[in-house]
Amino acid sequence: MSTSSTQSRGVNRRINSLQSNGNAARDASHTKKRIITHNDAYLYALRVAYLTYLLQPRARRIQHAPAPQIPVQRSSTSINDLMKDFSLLRDNKSTRFPHGFMSELEKRLTGVLMGRERKPEYQDATIKRTFAAFLNAFTEQSFKKRMEKDRRVEDLVLIFFSNATKELQKGKPPGDDSWKLMADRHLALFVRLISLVLKDQDWARDRPELAARLATLESKLLAHDQDLSSTPIRNGTASGASVEVVVPLSYEVKDMPLVQSVARIFGLTNTQIQSDVNKYKPVWTEKAALQDLKSYQTYLNLNSRKTLRSDDFHFDEAYDTWRKGEAHDLSQMMLAIIQSNPELAKSTAASNLPQLQRHMSSPEPTDGNYPDVLRRMSDHSERSSYVIDQPFDMSTLSSGSQSPDTSVDDENGFAFIPLEPRAYYRFILGEAFIHDVNDQSLQPSEATADTPAIKTLSKQSMELLNEIGLRWRIPPVSRMTLFLDVVCEKFFDQEISLDTLDGVFNFLKGQPAEGKKTQSFASLLLSDRTQWTLADTALYQSTLSSLHEALMRDLYNAMQECYESKPPSVGPILYVLENHVCNDSSFSKPQEDLDAFSDALHDGLQQKAHETYRSYLEKHVPQDQQSWDFFHVIELGKAVMALAQKIQKRYKKNPEIMGVNPLAALVETVLPLYAEDARDIVTRILELAQGKDEEVPIEDGFQLYNELVEIRQKYGEVLPSVPFAFEIEATLAEFVWRWIYTTESAINDWVDQAIKQDQFRVRIDNSQQIPTEEQRHSVSVMDIFSSFNQSIDRVVQLNWDDDLQYAKFMTAMAKIVGSGLAHYCEVVEQRFVKEMDRLTPEQENAASQTKQEKWLQLAKDTWNNKDKIEPFQFFPESFVKLNNIDFAAQQLDKLEHEVNVDACAEVIQKHTPPVTQRQKKINNYVFTIKIVEAEDLKACDMNGSSDPYVVLGDEYQKRLAKTRIIYRDLNPRWDESVDITTQGPLNIIATVWDWDAMGDHDCVGRASLKLDPSHFSDFMPREYWLDLDSQGRILLRVSMEGERDDIQFYFGKAFRTLKRTERDMTRTITDKLSAYIHHCLSRRTLRSLTSKSITVSTVTSYFNRNRPQPTTQAPTEPDIARALKPLFAYFDDNFAIMNQTLTSTAMIMVMTRLWKEVLVTVEALLVPPLSDKPSQQRQLNQQELDIVFKWLQYLFDFFHAVDDETGEANGVPLDVLRSPKYFDITTLNFFYFEPTDALIRTSERMASATAARQQSQRNRLSAPASLAGPAFGGAAGLVGVPSTRRSKSIMHSRNLGTMKKAKEEKRKEAQADPNDDMILRILRMRPEAERYLKDRSRQKERLAAAAAAEMIVRQSLAAGGGRMMGNLPRR
């Protein structure tokens, strides 16, 4: 048999410091003890186990013996006596039932009868019968009403008792009183039901006196309830009874459970144990045990060193308490021995026998409060050496009555108690613990969600140790501290795991096993520790301190591996530290020591992090610099971030360990190193690539940026005040610019490829399908915007962290998008114009005729008055192109919002230096030239008219723009704009051509204009009347805007390009219809209505147009409407074709443009264009004027297109139909036939009012006045008088919202600022007003020149002289 010695436990086995990397052996400091041999400990344990066998309750056998019949005596209690507690307090409200109680009681009674009551005592059929009888009486209305009023308990109980008595007496013979006890029981169950109702309805809390009295009544009624189970025959038959006979002891080990536990702990067989038992059986007797107790009692009374003394406690009161408990426990143990062997009492006189003292006043026995986890045998259901638990006076037993044959240790003086009980107990406890932990047959406890499966002491070992502790008089607290000391020693020596240590602590704290209810040891741990012995207190504190040092060492070693792939878990260590050590009141540690540990741990983690990073660096970055690549930096960054994320996830619930954050220690060490290394590696890679004249792939730069930004973000969270060593944006911005330049170089090719692959058809599956709005544009516009979005998203997805650089990136992308859209518009419009300018079949036939045949055909058509107006056959592809432009505008508007253009512009503006600090001038200028109209052009056709169009070119004969063709008009109006970009002065030439289908186009006239940016330094628009070198003049409206590197400018320019293309394409479509509009709404049609009997040829009409027409009968309403019927039919046919392809937006746009063409045509019928010269146009008579206004109303209703059934307008909106021009035309009716003098006075009055209003605006806003009408010409036309209203700026067109707002402001301005232009146009048809027209023209020129000069002065003063010096600031 092996032995163990406590001398092997040194004072400070943990000699390694916290910085040591080795695993120090666990140890603790303990007091030097006496050497205890293995055999001595075994023999003392065997003695106690054998004594337990001797003192255990004897087994008994059942034997049958005849017994006489014993009549059962039954008695009942008077119900009146029982109810005195209630009848004496009849007026006390606290003993009455609460309101609503009767209805609840009735429900509960019904539940009993229906079987719904869950309590088993109410399931008896007899109970239900008596309850049913009472319920019948209870539900009687008069009784129920009286009970609800009085609510007295005695009334309800007496009524129940009366009904129960009647019901139980039924069928009983006279003289049989057995029903009386049953009546008491039924009444008790009824009272219990009343209490249940009060409790369930929470009424018992408000009426505690009532509840108490009901409980008292129930207990009285059940006083004789046990007699209900009595029968005439008990534990036998009528002829006898069963008796118990004591079974004698076998003295065999197989019948000794605790002896078997000793054999198992000390590694002995039953045979060896049996031999020792047989050897010492004569010595280890009950008498010797009794003598030990008497000797111990003597030593206790003598205050001997062989028991605890007052010096062993903190206070005398604690010692006194312990001593009283010992005296009581000794009496109990002696009495148990005597009861087990009554022969021991025969040697004493009968008067000296132990007497039971039932009313002795003594403290509670100490062992009576022992927790179940230390003395399992205290439960009498298990094996125990005690049969009573009553105070017993042992003073009658003399200490000198022992026999001389008792075996007693000469040195010790005890047979069963060793000389050093604590040391022996600790030795046996250690042996038992190690055996049970290593016992494979012992099943561990079941694992739970909070605790793992562990093995501590078995039940048999606990019974043995408890018996030893009780027999050797070791206090429970000492047993606990010794047990914990043993366990910690085994943990220090690495014989048990941390989980086992945690399980032991939970075991000691009384954590119950699952499914069992046991007493908790927490009462000992949480009790007043001043009641402990000094030795226990010192040992407990020493154990906790040593355990704390061991656990902190383990924690440090475990944390040193936290950056490994599979580190040891620190959770169990922290749990034990926090819950079992640090939170204990007996443990104390200076804060300085804890801070020193935290500092050492933090330094150690930083060192480990540094080593981990160096290993990553060696793994992912090669030594050869020539082979370096961004991929290596990315992989290194991914490895670092993966480790950081792993640590963050690993310590998510507990980010700090003893005040140290592993993630922070990692990041603050690794990320600065990575930032510096990444900076140096990337810089070196770029230098090497530049030396080799190579470029690093753009995607590599983007991928590197994403990785670096993620790392920098984590770096900022941990080290917010320390700047990141790598300026990522400054180094990697060139990759974004390369991406932008690559996109810019490829954008036109993308557009060309998209157009090349597009058939410009609606996207439907079959021709019978009606396309939706989303299907009416083709794939090319979708493809180019997909390319735009992908290019922009590639930059956006970088999440660039420099706002200024990002805004510049978006500005460059906006420029690319605008360039791509301009190219798309140019190519699509060229195709569109080619489709729209194709020759009709008649024109193709005419082109093949000879010159003589052409002249003959013209003369023939003229003589026959044939109108060569044929409906134009539109291609669906042409309309799809228009839809594409409209869709592009919508997509561009969406893109403008997604990019957040205004925010980007604001960022750039914030970082732009003030105007005084910017010396750079604008290099590019955007001139917007609007070709408005022409007057008195030369007639180039035989019919006395021309088909004019304008071509703009530069001095090098490069075509810049071309307008549409206006057929048969010497005073055409184009209203078309073109943008021209230049870096300096530019001479442009405007050439008016006459379109001719039968030969070369004829030149009508030329005019030139110099565009000099210095003349437009105020950025105000100017109007130029340019005289042609042949005849007539042309009006150009010119404005300039500096082309800025501004995102709003680029989006505005792109929007304006789209809208201008859309407008030009729409105008081209309407031009194909305008010829027929002019034909139907002409003076020829008026003459045909007013003089139906006269038919004049076109040539004759041309030479006789100034002769008075014969007066005929006025046409009727049907005649006037019939004159427009061909025009409406023509519109319907073309609208039906358009409606199949055009979107609703494009359709409304075309109809709106046609409405404007109708208004221009009607206006031309009524008055000539505005000019300072008299006109040859004849004024209409009243009849003709009425016809024209009726036509206007018919056309208004037609374009508004109100559904007769639903009343819904499907055409042009009313606000568009009622345009300023429509308003001007309707006002003509008031002035048309006014005398010339009246018109002149009205014109002067309106001019004066306009001048006063403009002067008032200038005074209020300190801004230039705004004159409404255009200048007439003359000297002002030569120098270019600025228009007083600001033209459409590109910045006003940067999205659909600003464009719509600008258009609405223009409409409101036109409606709120009436002028006398219409009166001046009427006066042109009055020869007597020629002089007034010239004077009025000079007056307008002077006012316009003065307003322009005033504006220039104010702008110069506001700009601080900058504009006067010629610098053109960026807008």
Side-chain angles (χ1 to χ4, degrees):
M1 289 181 281
S2 62
T3 62
S4 174
S5 174
T6 57
Q7 283 185 333
S8 62
R9 303 169 62 209
V11 176
N12 283 317
R13 288 189 183 178
R14 288 185 169 276
I15 60 175
N16 294 332
S17 66
L18 289 176
Q19 297 291 345
S20 174
N21 291 328
N23 290 327
R26 300 191 185 101
D27 199 358
S29 60
H30 299 283
T31 306
K32 184 176 179 180
K33 305 290 177 61
R34 179 180 179 181
I35 299 176
I36 300 175
T37 64
H38 192 274
N39 188 60
D40 290 344
Y42 154 70
L43 289 177
Y44 274 105
L46 182 61
R47 299 180 194 191
V48 175
Y50 177 70
L51 179 61
T52 303
Y53 172 73
L54 295 177
L55 298 180
Q56 69 179 355
R58 302 293 190 266
R60 296 175 181 273
R61 290 196 300 262
I62 302 298
Q63 292 184 353
H64 181 71
Q69 290 188 1
I70 301 175
V72 179
Q73 299 296 328
R74 296 186 178 92
S75 64
S76 62
T77 306
S78 172
I79 188 65
N80 294 325
D81 295 338
L82 294 176
M83 296 306 297
K84 286 182 179 180
D85 292 342
F86 292 94
S87 60
L88 294 176
L89 301 172
R90 295 179 61 89
D91 297 329
N92 193 346
K93 295 183 179 180
S94 62
T95 59
R96 292 189 181 187
F97 291 121
H99 291 284
F101 173 80
M102 299 304 166
S103 59
E104 294 297 331
L105 178 63
E106 183 178 355
K107 294 179 183 178
R108 202 64 175 261
L109 289 171
T110 305
V112 172
L113 299 181
M114 299 297 292
R116 293 197 299 266
E117 189 64 38
R118 289 173 294 179
K119 295 186 177 298
E121 58 265 26
Y122 294 99
Q123 305 299 325
D124 185 69
T126 308
I127 295 293
K128 293 183 179 180
R129 182 158 56 89
T130 56
F131 274 50
F134 168 73
L135 183 61
N136 291 332
F138 179 75
T139 54
E140 199 273 325
Q141 291 298 324
S142 59
F143 174 75
K144 187 175 182 180
K145 185 176 181 181
R146 180 167 56 84
M147 287 302 304
E148 289 178 350
K149 178 181 178 182
D150 297 338
R151 296 181 283 115
R152 287 198 297 266
V153 178
E154 58 270 25
D155 295 344
L156 195 65
V157 171
L158 291 175
I159 291 298
F160 180 86
F161 184 77
S162 175
N163 285 274
T165 301
K166 294 178 183 178
E167 191 66 29
L168 292 174
Q169 282 179 343
K170 293 180 180 179
K172 299 292 182 180
D176 187 0
D177 296 335
S178 61
W179 59 270
K180 294 183 179 180
L181 292 178
M182 190 63 66
D184 293 346
R185 174 177 174 81
H186 287 202
L187 181 58
L189 292 179
F190 177 70
V191 173
R192 181 180 299 176
L193 187 66
I194 293 174
S195 300
L196 290 174
V197 173
L198 292 174
K199 181 179 179 181
D200 292 346
Q201 299 299 323
D202 203 20
W203 288 327
R205 184 172 59 183
D206 299 333
R207 287 171 166 78
E209 184 177 356
L210 175 60
R213 293 181 183 276
L214 288 173
T216 303
L217 177 61
E218 179 184 349
S219 62
K220 291 180 180 180
L221 290 171
L222 294 177
H224 303 286
D225 190 53
Q226 65 273 16
D227 294 335
L228 293 175
S229 61
S230 300
T231 59
I233 301 174
R234 186 179 181 183
N235 296 329
T237 61
S239 60
S242 297
V243 295
E244 294 180 342
V245 180
V246 176
V247 179
L249 296 174
S250 65
Y251 296 98
E252 295 182 0
V253 173
K254 64 181 180 63
D255 297 329
M256 304 176 185
L258 292 188
V259 173
Q260 294 178 9
S261 298
V262 173
R264 184 174 60 255
I265 292 172
F266 287 92
L268 300 176
T269 63
N270 287 351
T271 302
Q272 293 173 313
I273 294 291
Q274 188 67 54
S275 176
D276 290 337
V277 168
N278 295 335
K279 178 181 178 181
Y280 294 103
K281 181 171 64 174
V283 179
W284 297 342
T285 62
E286 297 97 325
K287 185 177 182 179
L290 182 62
Q291 180 61 36
D292 279 358
L293 294 178
K294 291 188 290 183
S295 298
Y296 181 84
Q297 187 180 41
T298 301
Y299 293 140
L300 180 65
N301 294 331
L302 296 176
N303 198 18
S304 171
R305 281 289 181 184
K306 293 188 177 182
T307 64
L308 295 177
R309 301 194 308 172
S310 60
D311 296 342
D312 297 321
F313 289 88
H314 292 276
F315 301 101
D316 293 339
E317 292 80 2
Y319 171 71
D320 294 339
T321 301
W322 170 80
R323 185 172 180 178
K324 291 179 181 179
E326 285 292 282
H328 178 270
D329 292 344
L330 288 173
S331 66
Q332 293 291 308
M333 295 169 68
M334 293 179 184
L335 183 60
I337 294 175
I338 293 174
Q339 287 184 342
S340 174
N341 189 0
E343 297 294 331
L344 295 176
K346 292 182 178 180
S347 60
T348 307
S351 60
N352 294 329
L353 289 176
Q355 301 295 323
L356 291 179
Q357 300 178 3
R358 297 183 179 275
H359 301 288
M360 175 184 283
S361 175
S362 64
E364 289 293 329
T366 305
D367 288 345
N369 291 330
Y370 291 168
D372 186 73
V373 293
L374 278 184
R375 57 183 296 271
R376 298 289 182 87
M377 77 294 196
S378 62
D379 187 353
H380 294 152
S381 63
E382 301 179 8
R383 298 179 181 89
S384 175
S385 58
Y386 301 103
V387 295
I388 64 172
D389 191 16
Q390 298 290 340
F392 181 67
D393 185 7
M394 300 298 299
S395 61
T396 57
L397 293 178
S398 173
S399 301
S401 62
Q402 67 267 27
S403 301
D405 59 347
T406 303
S407 175
V408 177
D409 192 327
D410 294 338
E411 179 183 1
N412 185 14
F414 295 101
F416 291 92
I417 303 175
L419 182 61
E420 294 184 4
R422 286 174 60 92
Y424 275 87
Y425 180 85
R426 187 184 184 283
F427 187 93
I428 298 171
L429 176 62
E431 294 296 322
F433 180 74
I434 289 300
H435 173 270
D436 290 347
V437 169
N438 297 326
D439 188 2
Q440 299 297 328
S441 62
L442 181 62
Q443 297 296 325
S445 63
E446 296 184 5
T448 64
D450 300 324
T451 59
I454 59 171
K455 292 194 297 184
T456 52
L457 291 174
S458 64
K459 178 180 179 181
Q460 295 78 7
S461 298
M462 288 299 304
E463 290 177 353
L464 174 63
L465 292 170
N466 286 334
E467 192 68 28
I468 291 174
L470 293 173
R471 191 60 55 187
W472 293 354
R473 304 316 303 150
I474 300 176
V477 174
S478 299
R479 302 177 213 172
M480 179 200 69
T481 55
L482 290 171
F483 181 42
L484 184 61
D485 183 44
V486 169
V487 172
C488 290
E489 180 187 29
K490 303 303 180 183
F491 174 72
F492 300 151
D493 295 335
Q494 299 182 353
E495 296 183 34
I496 62 173
S497 65
L498 186 63
D499 289 339
T500 303
L501 178 64
D502 176 51
V504 168
F505 270 104
N506 293 328
F507 183 70
L508 293 177
K509 291 181 179 180
Q511 180 171 324
E514 186 173 357
K516 295 183 179 180
K517 294 184 178 179
T518 61
Q519 288 183 322
S520 174
F521 210 150
S523 59
L524 293 177
L525 289 175
L526 300 177
S527 63
D528 184 6
R529 295 183 181 180
T530 58
Q531 303 295 320
W532 291 13
T533 64
L534 295 175
D536 291 334
T537 302
L539 178 60
Y540 187 69
Q541 291 176 348
S542 175
T543 303
L544 291 181
S545 179
S546 300
L547 180 60
H548 181 267
E549 292 180 8
L551 292 175
M552 294 294 278
R553 178 68 245 177
D554 291 345
L555 177 63
Y556 181 89
N557 293 333
M559 289 301 296
Q560 293 303 297
E561 303 178 32
C562 69
Y563 301 137
E564 302 295 333
S565 58
K566 293 183 178 180
S569 175
V570 299
I573 302 176
L574 293 173
Y575 179 83
V576 174
L577 272 173
E578 180 179 356
N579 291 276
H580 304 319
V581 179
C582 296
N583 290 343
D584 197 289
S585 60
S586 297
F587 174 79
S588 62
K589 195 75 173 178
Q591 184 62 37
E592 294 77 8
D593 295 346
L594 298 178
D595 295 340
F597 176 82
S598 299
D599 296 339
L601 178 60
H602 186 268
D603 295 340
L605 289 180
Q606 285 187 325
Q607 181 64 29
K608 285 293 182 181
H610 192 278
E611 296 174 1
T612 303
Y613 173 74
R614 286 304 170 192
S615 65
Y616 284 173
L617 185 65
E618 295 174 359
K619 177 181 178 181
H620 296 286
V621 180
Q623 296 293 329
D624 184 15
Q625 295 185 8
Q626 300 294 329
S627 61
W628 281 357
D629 192 85
F630 283 179
F631 172 77
H632 300 133
V633 182
I634 294 173
E635 289 301 310
L636 178 60
K638 287 183 178 179
V640 171
M641 291 306 298
L643 177 61
Q645 292 173 359
K646 184 186 298 183
I647 298 302
Q648 184 179 22
K649 183 178 180 181
R650 184 176 295 166
Y651 298 99
K652 182 178 181 180
K653 293 183 178 180
N654 298 304
E656 288 192 356
I657 307 298
M658 300 299 293
V660 179
N661 190 323
L663 178 62
L666 173 70
V667 174
E668 68 188 13
T669 303
V670 172
L671 293 190
L673 295 175
Y674 175 79
E676 296 175 0
D677 292 340
R679 177 195 61 199
D680 298 339
I681 294 173
V682 170
T683 303
R684 184 57 180 163
I685 292 174
L686 295 178
E687 291 176 353
L688 293 173
Q690 186 177 5
K692 297 177 182 179
D693 198 16
E694 297 177 353
E695 288 185 345
V696 180
I698 296 176
E699 286 300 325
D700 290 355
F702 286 174
Q703 189 176 1
L704 175 63
Y705 178 79
N706 290 330
E707 189 67 29
L708 291 175
V709 167
E710 182 180 356
I711 294 176
R712 184 175 60 185
Q713 181 180 2
K714 181 62 68 177
Y715 180 92
E717 294 175 358
V718 180
L719 303 172
S721 59
V722 181
F724 197 64
F726 190 2
E727 296 182 0
I728 307 173
E729 284 75 20
T731 304
L732 301 182
E734 65 171 287
F735 289 92
V736 184
W737 286 116
R738 283 171 51 196
W739 168 266
I740 293 174
Y741 297 149
T742 302
T743 304
E744 184 178 15
S745 62
I747 193 68
N748 287 345
D749 184 60
W750 294 351
V751 173
D752 292 337
Q753 291 298 324
I755 294 176
K756 183 178 179 180
Q757 298 175 9
D758 193 3
Q759 297 181 354
F760 292 98
R761 296 178 182 174
V762 292
R763 294 174 291 108
I764 56 177
D765 298 330
N766 55 77
S767 57
Q768 303 299 326
Q769 180 181 353
I770 299 177
T772 61
E773 291 288 316
E774 291 75 14
Q775 295 174 333
R776 292 177 183 256
H777 54 268
S778 61
V779 296
S780 62
V781 68
M782 300 172 62
D783 292 343
I784 65 170
F785 269 96
S786 177
S787 301
F788 294 159
N789 289 323
Q790 290 176 6
S791 301
I792 294 176
D793 288 344
R794 192 66 188 91
V795 179
V796 173
Q797 289 170 1
L798 292 175
N799 294 320
W800 202 260
D801 203 21
D802 189 310
D803 292 341
L804 179 60
Q805 288 185 348
Y806 176 79
K808 290 182 178 180
F809 295 157
M810 291 296 103
T811 300
M813 293 303 300
K815 183 178 180 181
I816 294 173
V817 170
S819 175
L821 285 177
H823 184 64
Y824 182 78
C825 291
E826 180 182 1
V827 177
V828 170
E829 188 175 11
Q830 287 176 358
R831 293 194 176 194
F832 178 82
V833 171
K834 185 177 180 180
E835 294 169 357
M836 301 300 292
D837 288 348
R838 70 184 186 278
L839 298 177
T840 63
E842 292 79 5
Q843 291 174 340
E844 292 178 356
N845 294 332
S848 62
Q849 294 177 348
T850 63
K851 189 173 183 178
Q852 184 178 1
E853 291 174 344
K854 293 178 182 179
W855 281 107
L856 290 175
Q857 184 64 36
L858 179 60
K860 184 177 180 181
D861 292 342
T862 303
W863 179 261
N864 294 329
N865 198 22
K866 179 180 179 182
D867 297 322
K868 299 180 64 176
I869 304 299
E870 299 292 340
F872 184 80
Q873 299 299 323
F874 294 100
F875 287 163
E877 292 82 355
S878 302
F879 294 146
V880 172
K881 293 180 177 65
L882 179 60
N883 293 340
N884 286 357
I885 301 301
D886 180 61
F887 179 77
Q890 298 176 16
Q891 292 300 306
L892 184 63
D893 184 68
K894 181 179 178 181
L895 183 61
E896 191 263 352
H897 286 85
E898 292 176 352
V899 172
N900 200 352
V901 169
D902 294 338
C904 292
E906 183 179 353
V907 170
I908 294 178
Q909 182 66 29
K910 185 185 301 182
H911 292 82
T912 301
V915 177
T916 56
Q917 299 180 13
R918 284 183 279 142
Q919 302 299 327
K920 185 179 178 180
K921 298 182 179 180
I922 298 176
N923 294 325
N924 295 329
Y925 306 95
V926 179
F927 283 96
T928 301
I929 303 176
K930 183 172 185 179
I931 306 171
V932 183
E933 60 179 336
E935 288 185 356
D936 297 334
L937 297 181
K938 180 178 67 175
C940 298
D941 295 337
M942 291 186 61
N943 57 5
S945 183
S946 294
D947 303 320
Y949 66 93
V950 180
V951 175
L952 288 183
D954 59 9
E955 52 192 320
Y956 304 105
Q957 297 182 356
K958 177 184 177 181
R959 175 181 289 190
L960 302 176
K962 173 181 174 294
T963 68
R964 72 189 189 282
I965 303 170
I966 304 296
Y967 296 96
R968 300 180 185 180
D969 198 340
L970 297 180
N971 298 292
R973 188 176 185 89
W974 292 279
D975 286 326
E976 295 188 23
S977 301
V978 62
D979 288 339
I980 299 175
T981 302
T982 179
Q983 295 182 350
L986 176 67
N987 291 319
I988 63 170
I989 300 174
T991 305
V992 183
W993 294 89
D994 171 53
W995 180 85
D996 196 344
M998 297 182 296
D1000 296 335
H1001 299 182
D1002 300 324
C1003 179
V1004 178
R1006 292 183 178 86
S1008 62
L1009 176 65
K1010 183 179 182 179
L1011 301 179
D1012 191 344
S1014 63
H1015 297 164
F1016 292 84
S1017 59
D1018 58 352
F1019 295 96
M1020 294 300 295
R1022 287 168 169 73
E1023 293 181 348
Y1024 295 91
W1025 277 104
L1026 303 179
D1027 293 330
L1028 301 178
D1029 56 3
S1030 58
Q1031 176 184 330
R1033 58 181 182 173
I1034 184 172
L1035 175 60
L1036 300 181
R1037 185 174 294 129
V1038 183
S1039 62
M1040 185 194 74
E1041 187 162 3
E1043 183 171 298
R1044 300 180 290 169
D1045 189 20
D1046 184 273
I1047 188 171
Q1048 293 177 329
F1049 176 86
Y1050 290 131
F1051 267 96
K1053 187 175 180 180
F1055 269 111
R1056 192 157 71 169
T1057 300
L1058 287 172
K1059 284 301 178 181
R1060 185 167 293 164
T1061 303
E1062 184 180 60
R1063 185 169 59 249
D1064 292 344
M1065 293 172 70
T1066 304
R1067 183 176 288 143
T1068 303
I1069 294 174
T1070 56
D1071 284 348
K1072 297 301 179 181
L1073 308 176
S1074 62
Y1076 199 70
I1077 294 175
H1078 297 161
H1079 169 72
C1080 295
L1081 302 178
S1082 62
R1083 296 201 172 217
R1084 182 185 303 133
T1085 307
L1086 282 175
R1087 287 196 298 271
S1088 65
L1089 282 174
T1090 55
S1091 56
K1092 297 181 181 180
S1093 60
I1094 302 176
T1095 303
V1096 186
S1097 64
T1098 303
V1099 179
T1100 305
S1101 299
Y1102 177 76
F1103 289 105
N1104 299 299
R1105 62 180 182 270
N1106 292 325
R1107 296 182 181 178
Q1109 301 297 323
T1111 303
T1112 59
Q1113 185 178 359
T1116 62
E1117 287 283 343
D1119 294 337
I1120 297 173
R1122 195 180 300 111
L1124 294 181
K1125 187 175 182 180
L1127 179 60
F1128 290 157
Y1130 183 70
F1131 282 159
D1132 289 336
D1133 294 341
N1134 285 280
F1135 288 169
I1137 297 173
M1138 296 176 188
N1139 198 40
Q1140 295 176 359
T1141 308
L1142 286 178
T1143 62
S1144 58
T1145 305
M1147 189 67 191
I1148 295 297
M1149 186 166 50
V1150 171
M1151 294 178 66
T1152 301
R1153 180 60 199 174
L1154 280 176
W1155 172 247
K1156 292 181 180 179
E1157 193 67 32
V1158 167
L1159 293 179
V1160 170
T1161 305
V1162 172
E1163 185 183 45
L1165 281 176
L1166 297 174
V1167 291
L1170 187 64
S1171 178
D1172 59 346
K1173 300 178 181 179
S1175 174
Q1176 300 296 323
Q1177 182 173 333
R1178 179 183 61 84
Q1179 186 172 347
L1180 300 180
N1181 57 36
Q1182 185 64 53
Q1183 188 181 53
E1184 293 171 336
L1185 185 66
D1186 293 341
I1187 293 174
V1188 170
F1189 277 104
K1190 289 181 180 179
W1191 282 351
L1192 183 61
Q1193 185 60 44
Y1194 291 151
L1195 289 166
F1196 185 94
D1197 296 339
F1198 176 81
F1199 278 92
H1200 193 39
V1202 177
D1203 193 328
D1204 295 336
E1205 296 180 357
T1206 63
E1208 181 181 0
N1210 299 318
V1212 182
L1214 283 177
D1215 59 336
V1216 177
L1217 292 174
R1218 293 170 179 169
S1219 62
K1221 185 175 287 295
Y1222 176 80
F1223 176 76
D1224 291 341
I1225 293 174
T1226 55
T1227 58
L1228 278 176
N1229 200 20
F1230 299 102
F1231 305 108
Y1232 202 73
F1233 296 109
E1234 286 289 320
T1236 302
D1237 295 341
L1239 289 177
I1240 291 175
R1241 288 193 300 270
T1242 302
S1243 175
E1244 291 176 344
R1245 185 171 59 253
M1246 294 179 69
S1248 300
T1250 301
R1253 184 169 56 253
Q1254 292 173 350
Q1255 183 62 38
S1256 175
Q1257 292 177 355
R1258 286 197 298 270
N1259 295 336
R1260 183 177 67 254
L1261 302 176
S1262 297
S1266 180
L1267 298 179
F1272 283 114
L1278 295 177
V1279 299
V1281 177
S1283 172
T1284 54
R1285 186 176 62 85
R1286 184 72 170 92
S1287 66
K1288 297 178 183 177
S1289 170
I1290 290 179
M1291 303 301 290
H1292 294 164
S1293 305
R1294 61 181 183 270
N1295 56 45
L1296 295 179
T1298 58
M1299 296 175 71
K1300 183 177 180 181
K1301 183 178 180 181
K1303 186 179 292 186
E1304 185 66 24
E1305 290 177 353
K1306 179 181 177 181
R1307 181 183 295 111
K1308 292 181 178 179
E1309 181 182 353
Q1311 292 178 353
D1313 192 15
N1315 54 71
D1316 61 340
D1317 287 351
M1318 279 299 179
I1319 296 177
L1320 296 176
R1321 295 173 71 172
I1322 295 173
L1323 290 176
R1324 284 195 63 192
M1325 296 183 294
R1326 311 284 179 89
E1328 62 273 18
E1330 178 179 0
R1331 184 174 179 178
Y1332 175 75
L1333 292 175
K1334 292 181 180 181
D1335 294 341
R1336 187 75 171 86
S1337 175
R1338 288 192 292 269
Q1339 179 187 4
K1340 280 194 172 186
E1341 292 172 3
R1342 290 193 301 270
L1343 292 175
E1350 182 180 359
M1351 175 172 290
I1352 292 173
V1353 172
R1354 291 184 178 181
Q1355 289 179 345
S1356 298
L1357 294 175
R1363 293 181 178 175
M1364 299 297 293
M1365 293 184 290
N1367 292 334
L1368 302 179
R1370 292 168 56 182
R1371 293 180 60 81

